[in-house]
């Protein structure tokens, strides 16, 4: 299952997130399991310090490079035009690839994110990046980029799960043909015990994780659930053999409580979160 982006690139709708995979062997093993069960997208970042492992797992798999969609991101300390070009070279080297599928501005660092995005656009023009994008950008950041860039980002990776449904940002992205990637799609397990999720899980004979991931897919979100446990990696990928009814989607919509795990990029002082 893929999502066709504005520039025609097809991005797999399910990928493996690898944040907090710090043990080298465990990381390579998790990615290997994922590729074996059919995942064809990996979401990393320079900030996760595992780009090298991602590259190794891809090489070891013997799956052609062009069949795997690799996303990585420019961390906050590397933002700015020239800095981003240098950070890109480093990511390319660690991943041991000659292009990156999606390269994202990790956070909208004030005063820097527009130049960071412009550098990514240059990499796109040079065909070193297939999909220029951003992460954690709100409408105000996207509007700022629009003023200075040649083309709007093609993807925006945001925190998105039943407890933080981001309705207005999602609709802004839809209007501008920016595909939405949900990070922490499972809200790191927080919504698993909710009675509505539990009831749907029983009804469909699925796990709470599968109900939530299915809800995302039906909304058109791209998802990158993280797990190092083989059975969960497989479970998270097997969400295509059932469909939630519209009224069940509506029930899950009622869980929204604007509850964030990460920093709120809409606040002026959100960078304090990283101090
Ligand atoms: P997630 O919602 O994917 O939750 C992951 C956790 O849920 C796992 O550690 C595991 O404990 C549990 N889990 C996973 N599958 C399960 C299952 N089937 N049953 C029970 N428990 C299960 O949260 P996340 O890791 O924060 O987000 C996913 C990915 O999003 C990351 O790995 C990373 O790639 C990306 N991310 C991006 C940003 C950003 O700023 N752009 C921030 C955080 C995460």
């Amino acid at each position: 299952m893929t999502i066709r982006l504005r520039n025609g690139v097809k991005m797999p709708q399910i990928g493996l997130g690898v944040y907090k995979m710090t043990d080298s062997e465990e990381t390579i093993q998790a990615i290997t399991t994922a590729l074996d069960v059919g995942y064809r997208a990996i979401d990393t970042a320079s900030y996760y310090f595992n780009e090298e492992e991602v590259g190794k797992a891809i090489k070891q798999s013997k799956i052609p490079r062009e069949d795997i969609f690799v996303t990585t991101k420019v961390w906050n300390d590397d933002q700015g035009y020239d800095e981003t070009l240098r950070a890109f070279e480093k990511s390319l080297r660690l991943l041991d690839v000659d292009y990156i599928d999606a390269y994202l501005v990790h956070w909208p660092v004030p005063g820097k994110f527009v130049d960071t995005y412009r550098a990514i656009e240059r990499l796109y023009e040079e065909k070193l990046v297939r999909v220029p994008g951003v992460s954690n950008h709100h409408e105000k950041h996207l509007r700022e980029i629009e003023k200075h860039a040649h083309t709007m980002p093609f993807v925006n990776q945001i925190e998105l799960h039943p407890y933080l449904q981001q309705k207005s940002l999602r609709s802004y992205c839809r209007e501008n043909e920016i595909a939405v990637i949900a990070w922490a799609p499972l809200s790191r397990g927080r919504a698993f015990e909710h009675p509505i999720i539990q009831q749907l899980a029983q009804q469909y004979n699925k796990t709470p994780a599968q109900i939530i991931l299915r809800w995302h897919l039906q909304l058109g979100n791209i998802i990158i659930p993280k797990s190092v446990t083989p059975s969960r990696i497989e479970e998270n990928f097997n969400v295509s053999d059932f469909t939630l009814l519209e009224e069940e989607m509506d029930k899950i919509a009622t869980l929204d409580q604007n509850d964030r795990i990460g920093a709120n990029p809409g606040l002026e002082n959100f960078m304090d979160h990283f101090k």
Side-chain angles (χ1 to χ4, degrees):
M1 241 178 337
T2 56
I3 294 280
R4 200 184 143 88
L5 306 176
R6 213 168 69 236
N7 59 356
V9 170
K10 289 182 185 147
M11 178 166 182
Q13 204 176 356
I14 307 181
L16 181 74
V18 300
Y19 182 37
K20 292 199 175 148
M21 289 194 196
T22 46
D23 180 86
S24 277
E25 267 182 44
E26 189 178 60
T27 306
I28 293 175
Q29 193 48 55
I31 298 169
T32 303
T33 303
L35 294 173
D36 283 348
V37 302
Y39 286 73
R40 286 296 177 268
I42 311 292
D43 183 86
T44 184
S46 63
Y47 182 64
Y48 305 167
F49 298 103
N50 56 19
E51 289 171 309
E52 200 172 342
E53 284 74 13
V54 172
K56 279 187 185 158
I58 291 174
K59 277 255 152 62
Q60 281 179 21
S61 75
K62 305 267 189 276
I63 296 169
R65 163 70 185 95
E66 61 274 20
D67 291 350
I68 303 180
F69 192 101
V70 180
T71 298
T72 192
K73 317 181 189 91
V74 194
W75 185 239
N76 302 347
D77 300 341
D78 291 323
Q79 291 204 22
Y81 193 89
D82 293 336
E83 293 86 340
T84 297
L85 297 178
R86 277 197 293 274
F88 177 79
E89 286 301 323
K90 190 172 171 199
S91 287
L92 213 54
R93 197 170 60 245
L94 287 170
L95 285 159
D96 195 16
V97 291
D98 46 24
Y99 66 91
I100 283 167
D101 292 281
Y103 196 43
L104 317 184
V105 184
H106 206 141
W107 287 89
V109 174
K112 292 193 173 169
F113 67 95
V114 172
D115 284 341
T116 303
Y117 181 75
R118 285 182 48 250
I120 294 179
E121 266 198 319
R122 172 170 154 180
L123 296 165
Y124 178 52
E125 281 153 18
E126 291 174 358
K127 302 205 181 328
L128 293 166
V129 165
R130 295 175 71 218
V131 177
V134 295
S135 178
N136 300 300
H137 281 46
H138 280 197
E139 184 173 330
K140 65 178 177 184
H141 306 116
L142 293 163
R143 286 190 188 281
E144 196 57 34
I145 286 178
E146 191 176 21
K147 282 191 219 153
H148 302 281
H150 298 302
T151 175
M152 282 286 259
F154 292 83
V155 294
N156 187 12
Q157 182 179 125
I158 55 175
E159 181 181 342
L160 176 54
H161 45 72
Y163 286 165
L164 179 71
Q165 299 192 15
Q166 304 261 31
K167 283 197 189 111
S168 78
L169 182 53
R170 273 196 291 121
S171 77
Y172 177 81
C173 286
R174 190 166 44 245
E175 281 157 23
N176 288 279
E177 296 181 275
I178 300 169
V180 169
I181 306 168
W183 72 251
L186 295 169
S187 61
R188 300 190 185 149
R190 289 180 192 194
F192 288 176
E193 298 304 321
H194 193 285
I196 289 177
I197 301 296
Q198 286 283 328
Q199 187 265 319
L200 289 169
Q202 265 193 4
Q203 184 186 320
Y204 282 96
N205 197 20
K206 298 286 171 192
T207 64
Q210 288 173 316
I211 297 294
I212 293 170
L213 295 176
R214 183 68 213 173
W215 166 80
H216 277 291
L217 295 187
Q218 288 183 216
L219 288 178
N221 303 334
I222 295 165
I223 50 173
I224 46 169
K226 179 246 173 179
S227 180
V228 292
T229 310
S231 59
R232 287 177 173 176
I233 293 173
E234 190 168 358
E235 173 185 324
N236 294 345
F237 193 71
N238 289 330
V239 286
S240 300
D241 61 349
F242 70 109
T243 305
L244 298 168
L245 303 175
E246 211 171 306
E247 62 256 34
E248 294 164 344
M249 294 291 288
D250 292 345
K251 271 191 189 172
I252 301 178
T254 66
L255 267 61
D256 195 9
Q257 45 193 260
N258 205 21
D259 183 17
R260 271 174 207 278
I261 295 170
N264 183 349
L267 302 176
E268 291 313 314
N269 64 346
F270 83 90
M271 286 293 291
D272 292 349
H273 182 89
F274 302 103
K275 282 182 185 158

